[in-house]
Amino acid sequence: METGSRATRPARPAAVPARTRRAAWLLGPALVAGVAYLDPGNVASNMTAGARFGYLLVWVVVLGNTMAWLIQYLSAKLGIVTGQSLAETLGTRLRAPWARRLYWLQAELVAMATDVAEVIGGAVALWLLFGVPLPVGGLITGAVSIALLLVQQRRGARSFEFVVIGLLVVISIGFTYGVFVAPPDAAGVAAGMVPRFEGSESVLLAASILGATIMPHAIYAHSALARDRFSAPGARAEDRAQSTPTLLRATRWDVTIALVVAGTVNLAILLLAAANLAGVAGTDSLEGAYAALSAGLGGVVATMFAVGLLASGLASTAVGAYAGAEIMHGLLRIRVPLIARRLVTLVPAIAILALGVDPTWALILSQVVLSFGIPFALIPLVSLTARRDVLGAHRNRWWTTVAGALASAFLVALNAVLLWLVLSGG
């Protein structure tokens, strides 16, 4: 038989259909917004829940990500169909200047609280990995976030997405590595899917997990990211040329992938703590969890955890700064240079670190502040996406609006419980 004949030549792999390649190219905005679900506040909440209650609150992580899917999809849909972010849409509908300013004030406080948590998380990671003093680590985290924002400004939305998604890969590897080294108990995981609590502290931690999962700035950011990618003047011509139904179908896949990644990583953090840190003293802080992982599973697992925390802080602080700038532009109709705004919002986080405030306590406090902003972002989002005069034929179906309203009511009530438990010392 001849060498290289048609009969013996290996078959070429089938080419990826052009339609599939185009659909894959439309993914990205949800993965960037999804970084908010993996910020240091989430890490602290999930690690503490697993260390204190084992597998008890597995169901809370699953529930939070299920609700997050709907909320993030609605946010992206608003940006795609209207060509405006949530903040811009609210800015056009709040006609009284005082109303816009008050609305901006609460949203700005939420954005700053988010920034505090993310910069602190990055600073703690640098301290754990390299012994960098916390204030210096905060400055380094801020400097890297400025570099990421420069990518967004000068190279466009797609380049920004690539960088953040790269950090998301690092986050995922860093936080899931330990689960493969020390797998959780399958029966314990299954039992954790049954909704239940064990005392007020478990309720507090469940509220903290959900409060850290559904974040106001992620809602504001996702609508703006979708707008920038598909509707803004700087968007690629091929993206702008896609029909709205095509973009919405791609967005559903985008949100699904993003939330599967975020949910898996959050679950891995809780399972890692449940399997290896349950009952271990001192694991109610990021530093204590790192030390316990190092002692129990070795330096590699602890280092991977710290690397994931560093990537989490760097990526989420850049997305948070982007959201804050969009909030200011949409509600005050003022566009402050992104870099200048980033420098100003770094001040509270650096001050907290310089004053020697306990980082984990500051993270918890930031989650409390975030809970105040939940209703101001969720309720308008569900209301606006249900209106024909806003989304036209793409408005929510009635069952989507009902599901959104129920999720909003549940999250607002749970955040109210969180506030009451924290402020009452319960």
Side-chain angles (χ1 to χ4, degrees):
M1 185 177 292
E2 291 183 72
T3 304
S5 67
R6 185 181 300 271
T8 60
R9 188 176 297 127
R12 294 180 180 179
V16 178
R19 182 176 178 181
T20 301
R21 292 198 302 271
R22 286 196 300 271
W25 186 256
L26 297 176
L27 305 179
L31 289 166
V32 175
V35 166
Y37 295 88
L38 295 170
D39 80 338
N42 290 83
V43 178
S45 297
N46 289 311
M47 185 65 70
T48 303
R52 292 189 181 177
F53 292 99
Y55 302 102
L56 178 71
L57 300 179
V58 166
W59 66 274
V60 178
V61 177
V62 176
L63 176 64
N65 275 269
T66 302
M67 291 189 293
W69 188 98
L70 176 61
I71 292 165
Q72 292 306 133
Y73 173 67
L74 293 182
S75 176
K77 181 167 76 167
L78 180 70
I80 290 169
V81 176
T82 66
Q84 290 186 319
S85 67
L86 175 60
E88 286 177 318
T89 305
L90 291 170
T92 61
R93 290 178 172 270
L94 296 172
R95 301 192 182 278
W98 62 267
R100 286 201 309 274
R101 290 168 189 152
L102 287 175
Y103 205 97
W104 165 80
L105 181 61
Q106 61 80 26
E108 186 68 28
L109 290 173
V110 165
M112 292 182 73
T114 302
D115 217 29
V116 167
E118 292 157 353
V119 172
I120 288 175
V124 170
L126 287 170
W127 175 55
L128 294 174
L129 287 169
F130 308 110
V132 177
L134 290 176
V136 178
L139 289 172
I140 293 173
T141 302
V144 174
S145 71
I146 289 173
L148 294 178
L149 293 172
L150 285 173
V151 170
Q152 195 271 341
Q153 278 192 335
R154 298 180 180 180
R155 302 295 299 274
R158 191 61 175 166
S159 296
F160 182 62
E161 288 173 10
F162 280 136
V163 174
V164 174
I165 290 170
L167 288 171
L168 182 62
V169 172
V170 176
I171 294 169
S172 302
I173 295 173
F175 287 144
T176 59
Y177 177 78
V179 174
F180 293 100
V181 173
D185 175 58
V189 176
M193 289 295 295
V194 179
R196 66 193 192 282
F197 297 105
E198 291 180 3
S200 61
E201 187 180 6
S202 66
V203 177
L204 173 60
L205 277 170
S208 297
I209 291 171
L210 288 173
T213 299
I214 312 295
M215 288 188 164
H217 79 284
I219 301 172
Y220 292 114
H222 201 169
S223 60
L225 288 164
R227 176 207 60 198
D228 289 350
R229 179 71 187 283
F230 302 120
S231 304
R236 295 171 68 250
E238 301 95 279
D239 291 343
R240 292 201 308 271
Q242 300 296 323
S243 67
T244 298
T246 297
L247 293 177
L248 292 178
R249 281 195 299 271
T251 296
R252 285 192 285 271
W253 278 106
D254 195 20
V255 175
T256 299
I257 294 169
L259 269 298
V260 166
V261 171
T264 300
V265 175
N266 278 317
L267 193 57
I269 295 169
L270 189 148
L271 295 179
L272 177 65
N276 302 282
L277 304 181
V280 178
T283 54
D284 54 352
S285 68
L286 293 174
E287 311 94 285
Y290 172 84
L293 287 173
S294 182
L297 299 180
V300 175
V301 172
T303 299
M304 293 293 286
F305 172 80
V307 168
L309 180 63
L310 177 59
S312 168
L314 295 177
S316 57
T317 192
V319 174
Y322 171 87
E326 183 56 40
I327 288 167
M328 178 175 285
H329 168 66
L331 291 170
L332 295 188
R333 300 170 186 173
I334 298 172
R335 191 171 288 281
V336 175
L338 204 56
I339 307 306
R341 190 184 185 285
R342 164 79 281 194
L343 291 172
V344 172
T345 54
L346 271 176
V347 172
I350 301 301
I352 288 172
L353 292 171
L355 291 171
V357 176
D358 177 64
T360 303
W361 181 85
L363 280 172
I364 293 172
L365 183 60
S366 71
Q367 303 308 303
V368 174
V369 175
L370 285 175
S371 66
F372 281 105
I374 289 286
F376 293 100
L378 271 181
I379 295 172
L381 175 69
V382 175
S383 175
L384 288 168
T385 53
R387 295 176 65 102
R388 180 182 288 274
D389 61 330
V390 177
L391 294 190
H394 301 290
R395 73 189 189 280
N396 298 340
R397 298 180 185 274
W398 69 266
W399 56 82
T400 304
T401 300
V402 170
L406 289 174
S408 300
F410 177 75
L411 287 166
V412 170
L414 201 58
N415 275 277
V417 171
L418 170 62
L419 287 173
W420 179 77
L421 287 172
V422 170
L423 298 177
S424 67

